[in-house]
Amino acid sequence: MAQVTVYYQHREGGTELVNHEEALYFHRDACEVIDHYPWVEEQALFEELGEGGGFFFLLGDIDSQYATFQLLLIEKDGGVLYLDIVLKPGFLGIFGRKSVSVDYDFVSIADAKHHIKAFFEDSIESLYVKHKK
């Protein structure tokens, strides 16, 4: 069973974003984190302050082989979703690098949860093969 780490930010009674980190082992845990996020409050503060929180899901080791989903709040029911997969970092991060990035543009929260489910079902290698063009 793979561990997925989620990093996210939201405000807790003030205007400063507070960082959070959790280790997740099941897709339902990721859904719970997303469901308990204060979407309405954060959206209002995003419009007022011009900065908002979001989620960063990490599968693997950021210093070697990994996959990440970044979900950025745009409105109450959705945001933009980005997927980055690094199968091989390469020499100096350039030469021999095997990576792929996918920009899903705007997605609903339900769609984001569906995409994130792959982190709990697939390996980094299979995600790379699936998304490589």
Side-chain angles (χ1 to χ4, degrees), residues 73-118:
L73 172 68
I74 298 296
E75 60 184 49
K76 172 176 84 98
D77 297 321
V80 291
L81 183 66
Y82 304 100
L83 169 65
D84 288 309
I85 303 166
V86 174
L87 190 61
K88 181 178 174 191
F91 178 69
L92 298 176
I94 302 171
F95 304 107
R97 182 176 175 93
K98 287 186 172 183
S99 65
V100 64
S101 295
V102 178
D103 181 351
Y104 289 96
D105 294 320
F106 183 84
V107 296
S108 69
I109 298 306
D111 286 342
K113 289 178 188 178
H114 173 75
H115 289 298
I116 291 166
K117 186 175 184 179

Side-chain angles (χ1 to χ4, degrees), residues 28-47:
R28 71 176 176 267
D29 298 333
C31 291
E32 256 183 49
V33 170
I34 293 170
D35 290 342
H36 288 95
Y37 189 80
W39 293 102
V40 174
E41 296 86 354
E42 283 301 314
Q43 178 59 32
L45 289 168
F46 172 74
E47 291 174 7

Side-chain angles (χ1 to χ4, degrees), residues 110-130:
D111 286 342
K113 289 178 188 178
H114 173 75
H115 289 298
I116 291 166
K117 186 175 184 179
F119 275 21
F120 297 92
E121 298 178 340
D122 298 331
S123 67
I124 296 168
E125 295 86 1
S126 65
L127 289 167
Y128 177 81
V129 169
K130 183 188 298 185

